[in-house]
Amino acid sequence: MAGAIDFYFDFSSPYGYLAAEMIEALGQRVNRAVNWHPILLGVVFKSTGGQPLTMAPMKGPYSENDFRRSAAFYGIPYRAPGVFPIATQNPARAVLWMQEKHPAHAKKFTLELYRAFFRGDRDISKLDVIGDIAAGLGYSADEVIAATQSDDIKSKLKTNVEAAIAKGVFGSPFFIVDGEPFWGADRLPMLEAWITKGAWKY
């Protein structure tokens, strides 16, 4: 199998949620593994001067409408969370722990967190919610919660976010394949063409 697709996402990103629902199927179609990397947009924005779409003048109302429109277009259930955006350190740390300790379930766990937030309107920044979702997959809620507060996982997330920024990651979702960056769920068809048809000159 050729090089993997690196998929960078933040749990407060509706477009990241849409991409998370589609990226594995794309990977299977093009025979590429997908590596999932949780990031923190808040840290990224400090480096880039960016801000959440919903907080930007004029872009805010447009983006809120486009979240719903895009989800409907792709046939993906979506419910705007009552609290948005949220701090995503805790779910990101939980995913890193799951990737480290139980990699076979890490992607499923990530999707369940995303779905809890963007379908079930559950605040996944809260440790009890994260623990409950982990328990639903057969893991100890207490163990997952403790892991999110460990110095080791905190340090790993910090290192991973810094590495993502160093690679030019500035938003969510963000993909890198064969050294080529793509930003946005709407770039998935282009990403697929890049792999299946080969890189084109531009």
Side-chain angles (χ1 to χ4, degrees):
M1 182 179 288
I5 300 168
D6 285 306
F7 167 42
Y8 299 86
F9 61 91
D10 184 290
F11 278 109
S12 66
S13 167
Y15 295 125
Y17 157 62
L18 298 180
E21 292 285 354
M22 299 185 286
I23 189 60
E24 284 296 322
L26 187 155
Q28 291 175 9
R29 290 195 299 271
V30 300
N31 197 32
R32 298 285 187 108
V34 182
N35 296 328
W36 294 46
H37 305 279
I39 61 171
L40 302 175
L41 281 179
V43 177
V44 172
F45 289 158
K46 288 181 181 178
S47 296
T48 64
Q51 64 176 327
L53 282 174
T54 53
M55 296 182 179
M58 297 181 69
K59 290 182 180 179
Y62 173 87
S63 63
E64 290 173 356
N65 181 69
D66 192 59
F67 298 155
R68 297 188 296 270
R69 179 175 60 192
S70 296
F73 177 76
Y74 292 119
I76 297 172
Y78 173 81
R79 176 184 175 187
V83 178
F84 181 85
I86 58 170
T88 56
Q89 289 91 335
N90 285 331
R93 293 170 188 161
V95 167
L96 289 181
W97 176 83
M98 192 68 77
Q99 288 177 342
E100 182 179 289
K101 301 296 184 181
H102 307 285
H105 272 164
K107 293 176 183 178
K108 173 66 174 174
F109 179 55
T110 303
L111 278 173
E112 289 302 316
L113 286 166
Y114 254 136
R115 290 169 179 172
F117 188 43
F118 287 113
R119 297 188 189 185
D121 193 15
R122 301 182 71 187
D123 185 350
I124 60 171
S125 69
K126 298 185 179 302
L127 293 174
D128 61 329
V129 174
I130 294 171
D132 184 58
I133 293 169
L137 293 176
Y139 295 100
S140 165
D142 290 341
E143 188 176 2
V144 175
I145 290 170
T148 66
Q149 304 308 299
S150 72
D151 290 339
D152 178 60
I153 291 296
K154 288 181 179 180
S155 177
K156 186 173 183 178
L157 178 59
K158 181 176 184 292
T159 298
N160 287 6
V161 174
E162 290 173 348
I165 293 171
K167 291 180 180 179
V169 175
F170 57 80
S172 170
F174 201 98
F175 313 91
I176 300 177
V177 61
D178 301 335
E180 189 75 7
F182 297 86
W183 173 44
D186 57 347
R187 288 298 183 267
L188 285 174
M190 187 183 295
L191 169 68
E192 185 167 358
W194 188 266
I195 295 171
T196 58
K197 298 179 181 179
W200 56 85
K201 293 182 179 179
Y202 60 92

